[in-house]
């Protein structure tokens, strides 16, 4: 049988690969991109959010999540839960209705689309005749009332979506009971609102856009009451006992109407313009909530004076003499109030207001004095300032974890202590096996620490680097301060703030040592901050040092932005990570690479001009190395000067094409008539192809010119204790890889601990490797005598890793964009290489060593390379033999920002941005899998709305 096996095919290895590797997209973290609709079920205590791309997401208690996607990818316009059912209906902008259900399947519940339906009118009728504007699921759970632009209301049977034509409520039937002079002045026009009577399911309230409101008797098919409004209608809301309802209008007013038992013409009880008398914006939605103390809560969206506050996105809450207009930083999509939903309850007693804004979810506690915000356990606004970089740290020690949480809790003292009010279902997922942190750097100079251990990405702590620098904004400014007599009484809420005081503050690189608590962050203007964790507020001077990366270079002039100005004297920092030293690169270009070795107390940094090493214990610069090529003028123009760069790169490209054509003509002889030249060219191409002798799955790697722009750009930095000078003595070393395919190795002399404070760290260049194809170096790794990657700094000291094998010979792995190459150390002779296997010409974008454990046994695990290419596929490559194990398509190749944002974890998971506000989480491992598992309680109800019993259904949410 062995004769028939493919070369390299090993059945045992194939079985092991199935036990080690499996690709799953598991959960989406963050805030849905471009939300368009909001729904809430008091029965299930679940919230639903729809988006412009056709996604629908359900949320309950932390960890309870469902997701569905409409095939049409159209905007979700409305979401309505079916009363007392685990079903909901969505309306899309293509006028289609979709019925979704939470159903049990193989012992788990899933969100499934059951039916879809498009309302059609009679032949020849205009589209407006059936364009749905209002959706009302009836409490009978069997009917759906659909208001349209034509003013007609169609009745649809559930779940079949069969139209009951004999029960259609036409605008002509409604107008028969309305005074003729009113009909002449105001036609019905479209149906703006439909509301069922809270005490009598045989009556529904119908609101038309021109202001007419009628109470319709479903049993007798007639109008029982009509209410003649004079302003354009926006929305309606019933009071709990059904004796009154509220209408809100386009002119910023709301009106209270009585509903009497006789047929007298109702007159409005109250008509109020809350922020008048000047012209006001429309009030688009309103709630009137009753309380035990007699004072109602009146909550409405909009209504602000047009001239002064027309650009504000507000929701006002009025309770007796208390009134606050909550001012949101982005457009309000919709909101709802959580109140007592028990049928026997006499009062509403609202507890919380949930607001879906365009860029974040805000929950307001209405029970606590001052109406503070509630800290959300999920749906975090990741992009409150644009994300500029990410860094993942696995298996955080408990002590560091608790200190970070403690620092974060001091920042959250202004939040409410109310338990999360949307608490439907129960999370039954097993506790995360370890504590993981995801750190995100932002454009405004902040770093956010997220708990990435489980399904909910939860903010633990926010670090700001702004206090070190002088900016236009005062960090002590408080956006929420109000004057005593300010009117309207606006109060800023939410965290979304896309505007940065200075783009130079942006964080570009982050490195956290989980054992020592040291943190290094680097920014857009060449600033590198080294910090340590302090449990108390402190005031101290931040030491400054400059690293001139252009020393000994003449004729260079930086054309980009200036460095940030720093504060003089002591600076006060709150508890948490506090900077103690600032290294400023000159020129102040973007920091492109960063490495921290907390055991040696060293930090290395690189830019497009070179790299340097800084001793943060002695606060002394060890050395700098300029990597700039004489022709690399582009590196001196900075990120904000791109027009000339584009022209230059185009000019260089054309010159290279011209040179290659000229040189090929010279090789071909370049003489004779056109036909001879053509024949010679064809013969040359054929001969050249035959001489290449390429493997069937590999492409030829072309050498690049040293004159290519940004060759000095430092892509990667790496610390290693290895054999650099000879095979008998190992020493600390620093490795740097550049965009031009050059690898520099420096031998470091770090004094022993007892003399570390007094003696300086010394460095000497030991090696320089130039890759022949000059492709950018994206990763450097040293393997010990057992072919195992060297452990992290302090990892061995904490008994979390075996000591590296210093007896056998070490190997150096250099990963460029186009190939993987293994060298022996210390001679640096080529031992093994793997060319990137892609005919399309793919390049390595991200690479990291990941540990994969077997799902069958705890005794086996192995280290492999996880590689992301520019085509969006992920390849797993074995160490040390560089054999391709498996390939998975992960990200669309057109999604350049998603590929650039990808970050791998140490145990075979990963994150990448699918939108500015959402991370997609994926797993490459069969053993490490984080996905929602939850239980949803589904009460069985009878027609009188009394709950008899409950059944629990386990849910394992798995997305294909």
């Amino acid at each position: 049988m062995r004769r028939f096996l493919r070369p390299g095919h090993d059945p045992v290895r194939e079985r092991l690969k199935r036990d080690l590797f499996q690709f799953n997209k598991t959960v989406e973290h963050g805030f849905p991109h471009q939300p368009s609709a909001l729904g809430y079920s008091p029965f299930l205590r679940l919230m639903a959010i729809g988006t412009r791309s056709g996604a629908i997401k359900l949320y309950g208690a932390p960890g309870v999540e469902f997701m569905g996607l409409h095939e049409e990818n159209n905007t979700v316009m409305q979401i309505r839960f079916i009363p007392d059912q685990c079903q909901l209906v969505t309306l899309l902008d293509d006028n289609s209705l979709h019925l979704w259900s939470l159903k049990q399947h193989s012992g788990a519940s899933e969100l499934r689309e059951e039916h879809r339906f498009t309302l059609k009118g009679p032949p020849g009728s205009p589209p407006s005749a059936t364009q749905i504007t209002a959706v009302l699921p009836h409490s009978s759970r069997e009917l759906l009332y659909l208001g349209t632009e034509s003013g007609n209301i169609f009745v649809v049977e559930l779940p079949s979506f069969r139209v009951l034509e004999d029960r259609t409520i036409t605008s002509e039937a409604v107008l028969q009971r309305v005074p003729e002079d009113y009909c002449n002045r105001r036609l019905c026009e479209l149906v703006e609102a439909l509301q069922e009577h809270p005490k009598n399911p045989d009556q529904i309230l119908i609101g038309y856009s021109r202001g007419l409101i009628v109470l319709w008797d479903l049993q007798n098919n007639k109008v029982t009451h009509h209410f003649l409004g004079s302003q354009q209608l926006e929305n309606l809301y019933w009071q709990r006992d059904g004796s009154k309802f509220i209408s809100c209008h386009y002119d910023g007013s709301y009106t209270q109407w009585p509903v009497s038992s006789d047929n007298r013409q109702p007159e409005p009880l109250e008509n109020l313009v809350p922020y008048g008398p000047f012209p006001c914006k429309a009030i688009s939605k309103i709630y009137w909530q009753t309380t035990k103390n007699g004072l109602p809560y009146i909550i409405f969206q909009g209504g602000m004076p047009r001239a002064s506050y027309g650009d504000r996105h507000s929701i006002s809450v009025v309770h007796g003499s208390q009134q606050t207009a909550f001012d949101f930083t982005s457009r309000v999509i919709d909101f709802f109030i959580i109140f007592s939903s028990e049928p026997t309850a006499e009062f509403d007693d609202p507890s919380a207001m949930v607001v879906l804004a365009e860029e974040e979810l805000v929950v307001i506690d209405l029970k606590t004095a001052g109406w503070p915000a509630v800290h959300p356990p999920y749906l975090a606004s990741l992009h409150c300032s644009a994300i500029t970089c990410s860094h993942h740290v696995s298996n955080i020690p408990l002590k560091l974890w608790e200190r970070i949480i403690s620092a974060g809790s001091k920042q959250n003292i202004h939040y409410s202590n109310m338990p999360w009010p949307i608490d439907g279902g129960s999370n039954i997922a097993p506790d995360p096996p370890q504590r993981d942190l995801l750190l995100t750097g932002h454009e405004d100079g902040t770093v956010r620490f997220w708990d990435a251990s489980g399904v909910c990405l939860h903010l633990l702590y926010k670090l700001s680097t702004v206090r070190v620098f002088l900016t236009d904004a005062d960090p002590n400014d408080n956006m929420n301060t109000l004057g005593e007599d300010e009117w309207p009484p606006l109060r800023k809420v939410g965290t979304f703030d896309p505007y940065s005081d200075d783009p130079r503050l942006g964080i570009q690189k982050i490195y956290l040592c989980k054992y020592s608590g040291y943190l290094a962050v680097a920014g857009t203007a060449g600033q590198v901050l080294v910090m340590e964790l302090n449990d108390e507020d402190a005031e101290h001077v931040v030491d400054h040092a400059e690293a001139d990366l252009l020393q000994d270079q003449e004729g260079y002039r930086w054309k980009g932005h200036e460095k940030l100005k720093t504060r003089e004297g002591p600076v006060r920092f709150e508890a948490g990570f506090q900077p103690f030293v600032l290294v400023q690169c000159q020129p102040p270009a973007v920091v492109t690479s960063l490495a921290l070795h907390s055991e040696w107390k060293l930090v290395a940094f690189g830019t497009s001009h070179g790299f340097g090493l800084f001793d943060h214990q002695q606060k002394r610069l060890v050395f700098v190395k300029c990597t700039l090529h004489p022709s690399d003028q582009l590196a001196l123009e900075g990120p904000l000067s791109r027009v000339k760069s584009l022209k230059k790169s185009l000019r260089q490209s054309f010159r290279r094409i011209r040179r290659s054509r000229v040189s090929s003509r010279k090789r071909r002889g370049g003489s004779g008539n056109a036909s001879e030249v053509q024949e010679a060219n064809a013969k040359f191409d054929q001969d050249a192809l035959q001489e290449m002798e390429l493997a069937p799955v590999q492409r030829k790697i072309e050498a690049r010119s040293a004159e290519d722009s940004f060759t000095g750009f430092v892509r990667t930095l790496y610390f290693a204790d290895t054999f650099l000078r000879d095979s008998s003595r190992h020493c600390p070393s620093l490795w740097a890889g550049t965009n031009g395919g050059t690898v520099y190795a420096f031998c470091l002399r770090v004094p022993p601990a007892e003399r570390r404070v007094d003696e300086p760290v010394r460095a000497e260049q030991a090696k320089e490797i130039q890759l022949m194809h000059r492709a950018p170096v994206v990763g450097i790794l040293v393997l010990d005598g057992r072919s195992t990657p060297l452990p992290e700094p302090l990892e061995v000291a904490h008994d979390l890793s075996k000591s590296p094998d210093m007896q056998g010979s070490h190997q150096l792995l250099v990963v460029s964009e186009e190939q993987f190459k293994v060298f022996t150390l210390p001679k640096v002779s080529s031992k093994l290489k793997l060319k990137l296997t892609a005919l399309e010409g793919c390049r390595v974008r991200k690479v990291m060593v990941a540990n994969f454990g077997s799902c069958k046994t705890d005794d086996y695990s192995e280290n492999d390379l996880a590689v992301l290419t520019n085509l969006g596929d992920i390849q797993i490559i074995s160490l040390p033999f560089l054999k391709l194990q498996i390939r998975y398509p992960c990200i669309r190749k057109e999604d350049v920002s998603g590929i650039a944002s990808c970050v791998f974890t140490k145990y075979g998971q990963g994150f990448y941005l699918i939108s500015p506000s959402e991370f997609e989480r994926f797993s490459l491992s069969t053993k490490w899998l984080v996905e929602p598992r939850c239980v949803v309680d589904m009460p069985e109800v009878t027609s009188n709305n009394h709950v008899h019993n409950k059944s629990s259904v386990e849910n394992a949410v798995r997305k294909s």
Side-chain angles (χ1 to χ4, degrees):
M1 283 295 293
R2 293 186 179 276
R3 288 186 303 162
F4 299 102
L5 294 175
R6 295 195 307 272
H9 181 81
D10 181 357
V12 176
R13 180 62 190 173
E14 292 301 314
R15 282 197 298 271
L16 183 57
K17 280 159 61 172
R18 288 194 292 271
D19 295 342
L20 292 172
F21 311 124
Q22 182 182 342
F23 179 73
N24 287 291
K25 290 186 178 180
T26 55
V27 67
E28 292 177 3
H29 296 301
F31 185 76
H33 184 50
Q34 295 182 327
S36 55
L38 177 68
Y40 178 67
S41 169
F43 171 72
L44 298 174
R45 298 185 72 83
L46 293 178
M47 171 180 66
I49 295 176
T51 71
R52 290 191 203 172
S53 60
I56 178 170
K57 300 186 178 186
L58 272 62
Y59 300 92
V64 178
E65 296 186 15
F66 297 88
M67 179 178 170
L69 186 65
H70 296 88
E71 288 182 8
E72 294 80 2
N73 290 341
N74 286 65
T75 300
V76 180
M77 302 298 291
Q78 295 186 41
I79 302 173
R80 297 287 183 267
F81 281 88
I82 309 300
D84 304 334
Q85 292 287 307
C86 291
Q87 291 182 314
L88 63 152
V89 172
T90 56
L91 171 67
L92 305 190
D93 64 352
D94 63 355
N95 208 41
S96 63
L97 288 164
H98 302 256
L99 179 65
W100 297 82
S101 298
L102 283 169
K103 283 201 168 183
Q104 185 174 1
H105 175 69
S106 301
S109 69
E110 300 172 347
L111 181 64
R112 289 184 177 180
E113 185 178 355
E114 297 290 323
H115 298 285
R116 66 186 64 190
F117 165 76
T118 302
L119 186 64
K120 295 179 180 178
S125 61
S128 62
T130 53
Q131 185 67 42
I132 300 170
T133 56
V135 180
L136 172 65
H138 194 260
S139 60
S140 65
R141 309 188 291 277
E142 297 173 352
L143 299 175
L144 205 59
Y145 289 86
L146 307 174
T148 62
E149 280 189 4
S150 63
N152 297 331
I153 298 165
F154 295 89
V155 185
V156 175
E157 195 174 48
L158 288 176
S160 63
F161 278 132
R162 183 170 65 92
V163 179
L164 304 178
E165 296 183 2
D166 57 326
R167 302 183 67 170
T168 300
I169 304 170
T170 64
S171 55
E172 291 79 11
V174 168
L175 292 174
Q176 288 178 0
R177 290 289 305 274
V178 178
E180 189 173 340
D181 61 330
Y182 186 88
C183 296
N184 293 336
R185 286 186 289 113
R186 294 183 174 273
L187 297 174
C188 283
E189 284 209 346
L190 62 87
V191 177
E192 198 70 60
L194 291 171
Q195 296 286 345
E196 183 179 336
H197 195 292
K199 298 297 183 183
N200 184 358
D202 291 332
Q203 292 183 335
I204 61 171
L205 198 62
I206 306 171
Y208 296 93
S209 61
R210 286 292 185 92
L212 173 64
I213 306 166
V214 300
L215 189 61
W216 182 267
D217 186 340
L218 298 174
Q219 288 289 339
N220 302 310
N221 288 327
K222 66 175 187 178
V223 172
T224 61
H225 296 75
H226 57 266
F227 309 86
L228 307 179
S230 58
Q231 292 294 333
Q232 182 174 322
L233 181 71
E234 291 290 321
N235 222 320
L236 299 170
Y237 186 78
W238 277 107
Q239 291 190 22
R240 191 178 187 93
D241 60 2
S243 63
K244 306 182 192 70
F245 70 87
I246 314 295
S247 63
C248 54
H249 302 274
Y250 181 77
D251 66 342
S253 67
Y254 66 82
T255 306
Q256 192 174 185
W257 302 86
V259 180
S260 57
S261 55
D262 54 31
N263 291 329
R264 287 181 303 167
Q265 171 62 38
E267 293 294 332
L269 295 175
E270 181 185 28
N271 184 31
L272 186 65
V273 183
Y275 296 113
F278 300 107
C280 294
K281 292 178 69 178
I283 295 179
S284 55
K285 189 171 184 177
I286 192 166
Y287 281 84
W288 184 290
Q289 302 276 281
T290 57
T291 61
K292 292 175 184 175
N293 64 10
L295 293 173
Y297 278 85
I298 306 168
I299 304 168
F300 56 89
Q301 177 184 346
M304 301 296 283
R306 285 186 181 275
S308 305
Y309 301 95
D311 59 341
R312 300 298 181 97
H313 315 289
S314 70
I315 295 178
S316 299
V317 180
V318 182
H319 180 57
S321 60
Q322 290 179 271
Q323 181 165 347
T324 298
F326 292 99
D327 185 13
F328 298 88
T329 55
S330 56
R331 183 172 63 92
V332 174
I333 303 297
D334 201 354
F335 75 101
F336 61 84
I337 306 298
I338 297 177
F339 57 91
S340 174
S341 58
E342 290 294 325
T344 55
E346 187 178 352
F347 302 102
D348 293 309
D349 285 326
S351 58
M353 175 173 72
V354 181
V355 183
L356 177 67
E358 200 164 36
E359 305 292 353
E360 62 186 327
L361 184 82
V362 179
V363 178
I364 304 296
D365 178 1
L366 297 177
K367 288 286 190 184
T368 304
W371 300 331
V374 182
H375 194 57
Y378 48 70
L379 287 173
S381 182
L382 300 175
H383 64 316
C384 43
S385 174
I387 294 176
T388 48
C389 66
S390 304
H391 177 65
H392 188 275
V393 188
S394 299
N395 209 4
I396 301 292
L398 179 60
K399 186 175 181 181
L400 176 63
W401 186 263
E402 290 174 343
R403 293 178 71 189
I404 291 172
I405 290 176
S406 174
S409 63
K410 293 174 183 176
Q411 297 176 334
N412 296 332
I413 53 174
H414 59 282
Y415 280 107
S416 166
N417 293 322
M418 166 190 262
W420 184 243
I422 304 165
D423 55 3
S426 303
N427 179 21
I428 61 164
D431 291 335
Q434 60 185 31
R435 295 169 292 274
D436 288 356
L437 274 179
L438 180 66
L439 282 69
T440 53
H442 297 264
E443 193 179 45
D444 62 355
T446 58
V447 178
R448 285 169 168 80
F449 290 64
W450 305 93
D451 177 0
S453 313
V455 172
C456 296
L457 195 69
H458 182 61
L459 181 64
L460 298 178
Y461 164 68
K462 184 180 85 169
L463 162 71
S464 177
T465 62
V466 177
R467 286 185 177 274
V468 180
F469 305 103
L470 288 168
T471 60
D472 295 334
D474 185 351
N476 297 315
D477 284 348
N478 187 353
M479 297 172 69
N480 291 333
T481 52
L482 286 173
E484 291 183 5
D485 302 322
E486 184 173 345
W487 187 262
L490 287 165
R491 190 173 108 200
K492 201 73 127 176
V493 286
T495 59
F496 179 72
D497 183 12
Y499 306 107
S500 172
D501 297 328
D502 193 325
R504 296 174 295 173
L505 289 168
I507 305 297
Q508 297 296 330
K509 295 292 173 183
I510 307 170
Y511 197 105
L512 171 67
C513 175
K514 62 186 177 184
Y515 303 111
S516 64
Y518 282 116
L519 172 70
V521 297
T524 304
Q527 69 271 30
V528 180
L529 285 163
V530 186
M531 313 184 187
E532 58 185 343
L533 194 53
N534 191 342
D535 298 327
E536 301 296 332
D537 293 5
E539 188 172 1
H540 60 257
V541 175
V542 178
D543 290 298
H544 295 177
E546 283 212 352
D548 182 8
L549 297 173
L550 290 183
Q551 62 181 10
D552 302 328
Q553 300 286 334
E554 296 181 359
Y556 289 106
R557 187 170 61 87
W558 171 247
K559 302 174 186 176
H561 49 241
E562 295 180 354
K563 69 176 184 178
L564 285 159
K565 294 179 181 177
T566 54
R567 293 181 184 273
E568 299 295 332
V571 181
R572 183 159 189 82
F573 299 100
E574 57 187 19
F577 285 95
Q578 299 173 352
F580 61 89
V581 67
L582 164 68
V583 183
Q584 178 62 58
C585 298
Q586 288 289 10
V590 174
V591 176
T592 57
S593 54
L594 185 69
L596 177 72
H597 200 294
S598 47
E599 189 174 357
W600 301 337
K601 304 289 195 301
L602 298 173
V603 61
F605 48 87
T607 71
S608 53
H609 307 114
F611 60 96
L613 182 66
F614 187 81
D615 178 352
H616 65 76
Q617 182 169 10
Q618 294 187 7
K619 297 173 183 174
R620 170 184 164 273
L621 190 66
V622 179
F623 78 90
V624 292
K625 169 73 176 177
C626 180
T627 57
L628 207 60
H629 190 274
S631 65
D632 202 356
Q633 289 294 327
L634 192 60
L636 292 166
E637 296 190 1
L640 307 178
S641 173
R642 282 286 176 259
V643 178
K644 292 180 182 178
S645 307
L646 181 60
K647 288 180 180 177
K648 182 174 180 181
S649 60
L650 286 171
R651 194 180 304 121
Q652 288 176 341
S653 299
F654 282 120
R655 282 176 182 169
R656 278 198 295 272
I657 292 169
R658 198 178 298 119
R659 279 200 301 268
S660 64
R661 284 177 177 169
V662 170
S663 61
S664 62
R665 285 197 195 109
K666 286 177 181 176
R667 286 198 302 270
R668 297 168 191 168
S671 60
N673 59 33
S675 60
E676 289 175 352
V677 171
Q678 196 170 354
E679 288 176 12
N681 288 353
K683 187 174 187 306
F684 174 83
D685 292 341
Q686 189 175 356
D687 294 343
L689 284 171
Q690 290 173 354
E691 289 172 6
M692 281 183 187
E693 295 182 354
L694 292 180
V697 290
Q698 292 183 343
R699 68 186 182 88
K700 184 173 175 60
I701 296 176
E702 297 179 359
R704 306 182 188 199
S705 167
E707 296 178 5
D708 285 358
S709 296
F710 280 121
T711 54
F713 185 118
V714 180
R715 292 286 291 267
T716 183
L717 291 164
Y718 177 70
F719 286 108
D721 187 356
T722 187
F723 300 93
L724 196 54
R725 293 195 178 277
D726 56 61
S727 56
S728 59
R729 289 179 300 170
H730 57 90
C731 66
S733 62
L734 173 65
W735 301 76
T738 72
N739 221 41
T742 307
V743 177
Y744 300 95
F746 279 75
C747 181
L748 308 178
R749 195 184 73 79
V750 181
E754 61 272 13
R755 300 197 303 273
R756 180 67 179 83
V757 179
D758 304 317
E759 293 186 13
V761 175
R762 301 195 183 279
E764 183 181 355
Q765 184 170 338
K767 307 283 184 188
E768 181 175 336
I769 308 167
Q770 178 62 61
L771 301 179
M772 295 301 291
H773 58 290
R774 298 184 184 274
V777 177
V778 295
I780 298 173
L781 184 68
V782 172
L783 307 175
D784 69 6
R786 292 187 294 262
S787 298
T788 302
L790 295 182
E792 296 177 24
L794 296 174
E795 192 173 9
V796 176
H798 285 75
D799 297 327
L800 294 171
S801 174
K802 292 180 181 178
S803 297
D805 184 351
M806 292 298 184
Q807 304 303 318
S809 60
H810 285 198
Q811 300 172 76
L812 171 69
L813 170 63
V814 177
V815 181
S816 76
E817 282 190 356
E818 300 190 0
Q819 72 177 18
F820 304 80
K821 197 162 187 178
V822 175
F823 299 88
T824 59
L825 287 176
K827 290 185 177 180
V828 194
S829 56
S830 179
K831 179 180 179 181
L832 183 68
K833 69 179 175 182
L834 169 68
K835 296 177 184 177
L836 197 60
T837 53
L839 296 170
E840 298 89 352
C842 69
R843 301 178 186 277
V844 176
R845 286 288 177 257
K846 305 278 180 176
V847 62
M848 183 174 178
V849 176
N851 183 268
F852 293 92
S854 170
C855 62
K856 296 288 179 65
T857 174
D858 293 334
D859 299 333
Y860 183 80
S861 67
E862 66 180 43
N863 291 305
D864 296 289
L865 287 177
V867 178
L868 175 71
T869 74
N870 65 330
L871 300 181
D873 61 351
I874 291 175
Q875 302 179 14
I876 298 175
I877 295 170
S878 67
L879 288 174
F881 300 112
L882 302 182
K883 298 290 185 185
L884 177 62
Q885 300 299 296
I886 203 156
R887 179 189 286 122
Y888 301 111
C890 180
I891 311 173
R892 291 181 303 106
K893 64 180 180 181
E894 298 83 11
D895 187 3
V896 178
S897 60
I899 293 171
S901 67
C902 182
V903 56
F904 289 113
T905 78
K906 192 176 178 181
Y907 294 99
Q909 297 186 68
F911 302 81
Y912 68 93
L913 289 171
I914 53 175
S915 74
S917 59
E918 290 172 290
F919 274 114
E920 176 82 71
R921 188 180 192 133
F922 62 87
S923 175
L924 305 169
S925 169
T926 56
K927 189 173 181 180
W928 299 90
L929 199 65
V930 175
E931 59 182 355
R933 285 183 62 83
C934 45
V935 168
V936 176
D937 294 326
M938 296 190 291
E940 294 180 3
V941 297
T942 58
S943 57
N944 61 1
N945 288 341
H946 287 292
V947 177
H948 280 282
N949 65 326
K950 292 187 178 183
S951 62
S952 294
V953 179
E954 186 187 24
N955 168 38
V957 183
R958 293 188 66 93
K959 295 185 327 190
S960 59

